[in-house]
Protein backbone atom coordinates (compact mmCIF):
# COMPACT_ATOMS: atom_id res chain seq x y z
CA UNK A 1 0.00 0.00 0.00
CA UNK A 2 1.54 3.29 -1.01
CA UNK A 3 1.84 5.90 1.69
CA UNK A 4 -0.48 8.88 1.43
CA UNK A 5 0.43 11.98 3.42
CA UNK A 6 -1.70 14.94 4.39
CA UNK A 7 -0.14 18.15 5.64
CA UNK A 8 -1.84 20.75 7.83
CA UNK A 9 -3.05 23.99 6.27
CA UNK A 10 -0.83 27.03 6.23
CA UNK A 11 -3.44 29.23 7.95
CA UNK A 12 -3.14 29.84 11.67
CA UNK A 13 -5.63 28.05 13.95
CA UNK A 14 -7.93 30.22 16.02
CA UNK A 15 -9.21 29.46 19.50
CA UNK A 16 -12.61 30.91 18.64
CA UNK A 17 -15.57 28.59 18.26
CA UNK A 18 -17.10 28.42 14.79
CA UNK A 19 -20.44 27.29 13.52
CA UNK A 20 -20.09 23.95 11.71
CA UNK A 21 -21.24 23.74 8.12
CA UNK A 22 -24.55 22.02 7.55
CA UNK A 23 -25.02 19.09 5.23
CA UNK A 24 -22.88 16.04 4.57
CA UNK A 25 -19.19 16.37 5.39
CA UNK A 26 -17.07 17.20 2.38
CA UNK A 27 -14.66 14.55 1.15
CA UNK A 28 -11.09 15.43 2.02
CA UNK A 29 -8.37 16.03 -0.56
CA UNK A 30 -6.53 13.10 1.00
CA UNK A 31 -9.48 10.80 0.28
CA UNK A 32 -9.64 11.99 -3.35
CA UNK A 33 -5.94 11.31 -3.86
CA UNK A 34 -6.23 7.88 -2.24
CA UNK A 35 -9.15 7.05 -4.54
CA UNK A 36 -7.20 8.10 -7.62
CA UNK A 37 -4.23 5.96 -6.58
CA UNK A 38 -6.54 2.96 -6.33
CA UNK A 39 -8.18 3.79 -9.64
CA UNK A 40 -4.84 3.97 -11.45
CA UNK A 41 -4.28 0.25 -10.91
CA UNK A 42 -7.60 -0.50 -12.60
CA UNK A 43 -7.56 2.04 -15.43
CA UNK A 44 -3.87 1.76 -16.33
CA UNK A 45 -2.47 -1.55 -15.08
CA UNK A 46 1.29 -1.49 -14.70
CA UNK A 47 1.56 2.29 -14.36
CA UNK A 48 3.86 3.58 -11.63
CA UNK A 49 2.08 6.64 -10.22
CA UNK A 50 3.10 9.54 -8.03
CA UNK A 51 0.68 12.38 -7.43
CA UNK A 52 0.82 15.51 -5.28
CA UNK A 53 -1.51 18.49 -4.97
CA UNK A 54 -1.78 21.57 -2.75
CA UNK A 55 -4.75 23.93 -2.50
CA UNK A 56 -3.05 27.32 -2.48
CA UNK A 57 -6.10 28.94 -0.85
CA UNK A 58 -5.90 26.87 2.32
CA UNK A 59 -2.62 24.97 2.27
CA UNK A 60 -4.41 21.60 2.34
CA UNK A 61 -2.09 19.14 0.63
CA UNK A 62 -2.00 15.45 -0.16
CA UNK A 63 0.26 13.12 -2.06
CA UNK A 64 0.75 9.49 -2.95
CA UNK A 65 4.32 8.22 -3.37
CA UNK A 66 5.23 11.90 -3.26
CA UNK A 67 8.97 11.42 -2.72
CA UNK A 68 9.37 8.51 -5.14
CA UNK A 69 11.82 9.53 -7.89
CA UNK A 70 10.44 9.58 -11.44
CA UNK A 71 12.22 10.23 -14.71
CA UNK A 72 11.46 13.91 -15.23
CA UNK A 73 11.48 14.18 -19.03
CA UNK A 74 10.59 17.72 -20.19
CA UNK A 75 8.64 18.71 -17.07
CA UNK A 76 11.95 19.58 -15.38
CA UNK A 77 12.44 22.42 -17.85
CA UNK A 78 10.34 24.62 -15.53
CA UNK A 79 13.14 24.35 -12.94
CA UNK A 80 15.83 25.18 -15.48
CA UNK A 81 14.12 28.29 -16.85
CA UNK A 82 13.49 29.54 -13.30
CA UNK A 83 17.18 29.06 -12.50
CA UNK A 84 18.13 31.03 -15.62
CA UNK A 85 15.77 33.86 -14.66
CA UNK A 86 17.48 34.06 -11.29
CA UNK A 87 20.83 34.75 -12.97
CA UNK A 88 20.20 36.36 -16.35
CA UNK A 89 18.14 39.24 -17.67
CA UNK A 90 14.80 38.71 -19.37
CA UNK A 91 16.10 39.71 -22.79
CA UNK A 92 18.63 36.85 -22.68
CA UNK A 93 16.27 34.18 -21.40
CA UNK A 94 13.11 35.07 -23.36
CA UNK A 95 13.93 33.76 -26.86
CA UNK A 96 15.02 30.40 -25.46
CA UNK A 97 12.20 30.07 -22.91
CA UNK A 98 9.53 30.72 -25.53
CA UNK A 99 10.85 27.76 -27.54
CA UNK A 100 11.07 25.60 -24.41
CA UNK A 101 7.43 26.10 -23.51
CA UNK A 102 5.87 26.45 -26.95
CA UNK A 103 7.40 23.34 -28.54
CA UNK A 104 9.44 21.80 -25.67
CA UNK A 105 12.55 22.49 -27.78
CA UNK A 106 15.39 20.32 -26.47
CA UNK A 107 18.28 22.27 -27.97
CA UNK A 108 16.91 25.54 -26.55
CA UNK A 109 16.62 23.76 -23.20
CA UNK A 110 20.30 22.88 -23.40
CA UNK A 111 21.13 26.54 -24.00
CA UNK A 112 19.06 27.45 -20.93
CA UNK A 113 21.15 25.00 -18.88
CA UNK A 114 24.28 26.68 -20.26
CA UNK A 115 22.99 30.11 -19.20
CA UNK A 116 22.87 28.87 -15.61
CA UNK A 117 26.41 27.46 -15.80
CA UNK A 118 25.79 23.84 -16.76
CA UNK A 119 24.22 20.81 -15.07
CA UNK A 120 26.23 21.17 -11.86
CA UNK A 121 24.95 24.73 -11.43
CA UNK A 122 21.37 23.55 -12.01
CA UNK A 123 21.78 20.98 -9.23
CA UNK A 124 23.21 23.59 -6.86
CA UNK A 125 20.10 25.68 -7.56
CA UNK A 126 17.77 22.74 -6.90
CA UNK A 127 19.59 21.78 -3.71
CA UNK A 128 19.41 25.39 -2.54
CA UNK A 129 15.62 25.20 -2.82
CA UNK A 130 15.60 22.09 -0.65
CA UNK A 131 14.46 19.79 -3.47
CA UNK A 132 16.05 16.63 -2.16
CA UNK A 133 14.66 14.16 -4.68
CA UNK A 134 15.37 16.07 -7.88
CA UNK A 135 18.47 16.27 -10.07
CA UNK A 136 19.76 16.90 -13.58
CA UNK A 137 22.18 14.15 -14.58
CA UNK A 138 22.72 14.72 -18.30
CA UNK A 139 21.48 16.69 -21.28
CA UNK A 140 22.98 15.84 -24.65
CA UNK A 141 20.94 17.97 -27.07
CA UNK A 142 23.19 20.34 -29.00
CA UNK A 143 26.21 19.00 -27.15
CA UNK A 144 26.98 16.55 -24.35
CA UNK A 145 26.50 17.80 -20.79
CA UNK A 146 27.03 15.63 -17.70
CA UNK A 147 26.63 16.63 -14.05
CA UNK A 148 29.33 15.65 -11.57
CA UNK A 149 27.11 16.38 -8.55
CA UNK A 150 23.98 14.38 -9.42
CA UNK A 151 23.26 11.59 -6.93
CA UNK A 152 22.22 9.51 -9.98
CA UNK A 153 19.34 7.93 -8.10
CA UNK A 154 17.96 6.87 -11.49
CA UNK A 155 21.23 6.07 -13.20
CA UNK A 156 21.77 8.15 -16.33
CA UNK A 157 18.30 9.69 -16.24
CA UNK A 158 17.18 13.07 -14.91
CA UNK A 159 14.61 12.75 -12.16
CA UNK A 160 12.28 14.55 -9.76
CA UNK A 161 9.43 13.73 -7.42
CA UNK A 162 5.86 14.97 -7.16
CA UNK A 163 6.34 16.59 -3.73
CA UNK A 164 9.39 18.56 -4.91
CA UNK A 165 7.56 19.88 -7.96
CA UNK A 166 4.44 20.91 -6.06
CA UNK A 167 6.58 22.66 -3.43
CA UNK A 168 8.38 24.54 -6.20
CA UNK A 169 5.17 25.53 -7.98
CA UNK A 170 3.55 26.73 -4.75
CA UNK A 171 6.54 28.93 -3.99
CA UNK A 172 6.56 30.23 -7.54
CA UNK A 173 2.88 31.15 -7.23
CA UNK A 174 3.56 32.93 -3.91
CA UNK A 175 6.30 34.98 -5.64
CA UNK A 176 8.97 33.57 -3.32
CA UNK A 177 11.45 32.34 -5.95
CA UNK A 178 11.93 35.28 -8.31
CA UNK A 179 11.23 38.98 -8.60
CA UNK A 180 7.82 40.19 -9.72
CA UNK A 181 8.57 40.62 -13.42
CA UNK A 182 10.49 37.34 -13.94
CA UNK A 183 7.75 35.47 -12.06
CA UNK A 184 5.01 36.91 -14.26
CA UNK A 185 7.01 36.14 -17.38
CA UNK A 186 7.62 32.52 -16.35
CA UNK A 187 3.94 32.01 -15.59
CA UNK A 188 3.06 33.53 -18.96
CA UNK A 189 5.47 31.18 -20.74
CA UNK A 190 3.79 28.26 -18.99
CA UNK A 191 0.63 29.26 -20.87
CA UNK A 192 2.32 28.66 -24.24
CA UNK A 193 2.10 24.88 -23.86
CA UNK A 194 -0.72 22.78 -25.37
CA UNK A 195 -4.02 22.97 -23.46
CA UNK A 196 -5.38 19.57 -24.44
CA UNK A 197 -4.41 16.41 -26.27
CA UNK A 198 -0.78 15.39 -26.63
CA UNK A 199 1.35 17.57 -24.37
CA UNK A 200 -1.78 19.06 -22.83
CA UNK A 201 -3.16 16.15 -20.82
CA UNK A 202 -3.58 18.28 -17.69
CA UNK A 203 -6.18 20.44 -19.43
CA UNK A 204 -7.96 17.98 -21.72
CA UNK A 205 -10.94 17.31 -19.43
CA UNK A 206 -11.02 20.62 -17.59
CA UNK A 207 -13.67 23.29 -18.29
CA UNK A 208 -12.76 25.74 -21.06
CA UNK A 209 -12.10 28.56 -18.58
CA UNK A 210 -9.58 26.47 -16.66
CA UNK A 211 -7.86 25.36 -19.87
CA UNK A 212 -7.55 28.98 -20.98
CA UNK A 213 -5.62 30.00 -17.87
CA UNK A 214 -3.68 26.76 -17.38
CA UNK A 215 0.03 27.16 -16.61
CA UNK A 216 1.84 23.84 -16.95
CA UNK A 217 4.56 21.73 -18.52
CA UNK A 218 4.10 18.21 -19.73
CA UNK A 219 6.93 15.74 -20.08
CA UNK A 220 6.74 12.55 -22.09
CA UNK A 221 8.90 9.67 -23.26
CA UNK A 222 6.39 7.49 -25.14
CA UNK A 223 6.65 3.84 -26.17
CA UNK A 224 9.42 3.21 -28.65
CA UNK A 225 11.28 6.41 -27.82
CA UNK A 226 14.06 5.25 -25.58
CA UNK A 227 14.83 1.58 -25.98
CA UNK A 228 13.27 0.24 -22.78
CA UNK A 229 9.51 0.62 -22.44
CA UNK A 230 9.59 -1.19 -19.10
CA UNK A 231 11.68 1.70 -17.73
CA UNK A 232 10.21 4.65 -19.60
CA UNK A 233 6.75 5.21 -21.13
CA UNK A 234 6.88 8.43 -19.09
CA UNK A 235 3.89 10.79 -19.04
CA UNK A 236 4.21 13.67 -16.57
CA UNK A 237 2.02 16.71 -16.04
CA UNK A 238 2.84 19.52 -13.62
CA UNK A 239 1.20 22.90 -13.29
CA UNK A 240 -0.92 25.58 -11.69
CA UNK A 241 -4.68 25.55 -12.20
CA UNK A 242 -7.08 28.42 -11.55
CA UNK A 243 -10.46 27.70 -9.96
CA UNK A 244 -13.76 29.54 -10.59
CA UNK A 245 -13.39 31.56 -7.35
CA UNK A 246 -9.94 32.78 -8.44
CA UNK A 247 -8.12 30.41 -6.11
CA UNK A 248 -5.39 28.17 -7.47
CA UNK A 249 -3.81 24.82 -6.83
CA UNK A 250 -0.48 23.24 -7.74
CA UNK A 251 -0.42 19.69 -9.00
CA UNK A 252 2.05 17.06 -10.22
CA UNK A 253 0.84 13.82 -11.82
CA UNK A 254 3.76 11.53 -12.68
CA UNK A 255 2.98 8.31 -14.54
CA UNK A 256 5.43 5.87 -16.07
CA UNK A 257 6.01 2.29 -17.23
CA UNK A 258 2.39 1.76 -18.24
CA UNK A 259 2.41 -0.77 -21.11
CA UNK A 260 -0.65 0.82 -22.76
CA UNK A 261 -0.01 4.50 -23.55
CA UNK A 262 -3.63 5.55 -24.30
CA UNK A 263 -4.80 4.05 -20.99
CA UNK A 264 -2.05 5.86 -19.10
CA UNK A 265 -2.91 9.14 -20.88
CA UNK A 266 -6.61 8.71 -20.06
CA UNK A 267 -5.81 8.20 -16.40
CA UNK A 268 -3.68 11.37 -16.23
CA UNK A 269 -6.42 13.38 -17.95
CA UNK A 270 -9.06 11.95 -15.63
CA UNK A 271 -6.97 12.46 -12.48
CA UNK A 272 -6.49 16.12 -13.38
CA UNK A 273 -10.23 16.52 -13.87
CA UNK A 274 -11.20 14.71 -10.66
CA UNK A 275 -8.90 16.95 -8.63
CA UNK A 276 -10.36 20.06 -10.27
CA UNK A 277 -13.91 18.81 -9.68
CA UNK A 278 -13.19 18.35 -5.98
CA UNK A 279 -11.41 21.67 -5.44
CA UNK A 280 -13.91 23.64 -7.55
CA UNK A 281 -16.85 21.91 -5.84
CA UNK A 282 -18.23 21.22 -9.31
CA UNK A 283 -20.05 17.92 -8.79
CA UNK A 284 -21.60 18.09 -12.28
CA UNK A 285 -18.26 18.02 -14.11
CA UNK A 286 -17.90 14.87 -16.23
CA UNK A 287 -14.38 13.46 -15.90
CA UNK A 288 -14.95 10.57 -18.27
CA UNK A 289 -17.18 8.61 -15.92
CA UNK A 290 -18.64 6.31 -18.56
CA UNK A 291 -15.22 5.45 -19.97
CA UNK A 292 -13.83 4.94 -16.47
CA UNK A 293 -16.62 2.51 -15.64
CA UNK A 294 -15.65 0.52 -18.73
CA UNK A 295 -12.03 0.37 -17.58
CA UNK A 296 -10.70 3.21 -19.69
CA UNK A 297 -9.83 3.23 -23.36
CA UNK A 298 -9.69 -0.07 -25.22
CA UNK A 299 -6.27 -1.70 -24.92
CA UNK A 300 -3.93 -1.35 -27.87
CA UNK A 301 -3.17 -4.78 -29.32
CA UNK A 302 -0.35 -4.97 -31.84
CA UNK A 303 0.26 -7.79 -34.27
CA UNK A 304 3.57 -9.60 -33.70
CA UNK A 305 6.37 -7.49 -35.14
CA UNK A 306 4.11 -4.50 -35.81
CA UNK A 307 5.70 -1.09 -35.12
CA UNK A 308 4.65 0.87 -32.05
CA UNK A 309 2.34 3.78 -32.94
CA UNK A 310 3.96 7.21 -32.88
CA UNK A 311 2.70 8.73 -29.63
CA UNK A 312 5.10 11.66 -29.64
CA UNK A 313 3.66 15.18 -29.90
CA UNK A 314 4.66 15.99 -33.48
Amino acid sequence: MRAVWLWAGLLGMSGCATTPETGAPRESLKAVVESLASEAARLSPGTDLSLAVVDLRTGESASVSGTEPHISASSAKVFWVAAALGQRDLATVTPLAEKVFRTSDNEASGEVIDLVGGPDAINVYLQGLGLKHTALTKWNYGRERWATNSPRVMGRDNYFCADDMVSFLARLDRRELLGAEPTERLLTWMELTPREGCGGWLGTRLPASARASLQHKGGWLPPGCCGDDARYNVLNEVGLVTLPDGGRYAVAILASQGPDWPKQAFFVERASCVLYRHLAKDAALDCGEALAREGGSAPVVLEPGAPVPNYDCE
Side-chain angles (χ1 to χ4, degrees), residues 22-27:
T22 59
R26 182 168 177 257
E27 187 179 25

Side-chain angles (χ1 to χ4, degrees), residues 41-313:
R42 181 176 65 86
L43 295 181
S44 185
T47 287
D48 182 14
L49 173 71
S50 291
L51 190 158
V53 59
V54 57
D55 184 343
L56 298 171
R57 301 167 299 183
T58 65
E60 183 186 16
S61 305
S63 71
V64 59
S65 299
T67 60
E68 177 185 319
H70 274 248
I71 294 170
S72 54
S74 292
S75 291
K77 294 172 183 177
V78 176
F79 295 136
W80 308 344
V81 173
L85 286 171
Q87 295 189 19
R88 300 301 188 100
D89 58 79
L90 279 170
T92 301
V93 179
T94 294
L96 296 174
E98 289 183 346
K99 293 180 182 179
V100 168
F101 287 100
R102 195 181 299 278
T103 63
S104 204
D105 188 293
N106 286 326
E107 293 202 4
S109 300
E111 293 182 59
V112 168
I113 293 169
D114 295 339
L115 288 180
V116 182
D120 281 8
I122 292 285
N123 287 331
V124 169
Y125 171 76
L126 297 170
Q127 292 156 11
L129 295 180
L131 306 183
K132 298 179 180 180
H133 305 279
T134 298
L136 170 59
T137 300
K138 67 175 176 64
W139 197 255
N140 294 339
Y141 295 93
R143 67 179 183 83
E144 190 173 87
R145 303 168 184 84
W146 284 89
T148 65
N149 59 353
S150 168
R152 299 200 180 189
V153 169
M154 301 202 74
R156 298 161 58 94
D157 290 307
N158 307 321
Y159 60 93
F160 66 165
C161 72
D163 282 359
D164 278 1
M165 177 54 79
V166 162
S167 169
F168 173 88
L169 291 171
R171 292 163 70 183
L172 176 66
D173 189 74
R174 293 195 298 264
R175 277 61 179 172
E176 296 175 359
L177 299 179
L178 299 164
E181 188 176 3
T183 297
E184 295 308 316
R185 191 66 65 88
L186 176 53
L187 292 172
T188 299
W189 290 332
M190 291 170 68
E191 296 176 3
L192 297 176
T193 54
R195 303 308 176 87
E196 57 188 317
C198 197
W201 301 279
L202 198 66
T204 295
R205 294 183 179 272
L206 299 187
S209 59
R211 285 201 305 272
S213 58
L214 182 62
Q215 296 162 330
H216 78 117
K217 184 68 187 80
W220 57 97
L221 298 171
C225 80
C226 309
D228 185 357
D229 290 349
R231 178 174 177 81
Y232 297 101
N233 289 10
V234 170
L235 200 164
N236 299 325
E237 270 286 19
V238 306
L240 292 157
V241 184
T242 301
L243 296 161
D245 66 1
R248 286 154 67 77
Y249 64 92
V251 61
I253 307 172
L254 316 182
S256 62
Q257 302 177 19
D260 192 298
W261 185 259
K263 281 185 170 291
Q264 187 163 269
F266 170 71
F267 173 77
V268 171
E269 293 170 353
R270 174 167 166 77
S272 173
C273 182
V274 169
L275 290 169
Y276 179 92
R277 181 170 65 192
H278 171 77
L279 292 167
K281 301 181 182 179
D282 183 1
L285 182 61
D286 181 6
C287 294
E289 311 310 316
L291 190 54
R293 285 193 296 269
E294 296 171 2
S297 56
V300 174
V301 180
L302 299 176
E303 296 294 329
V308 175
N310 180 13
Y311 292 119
D312 212 345
C313 300

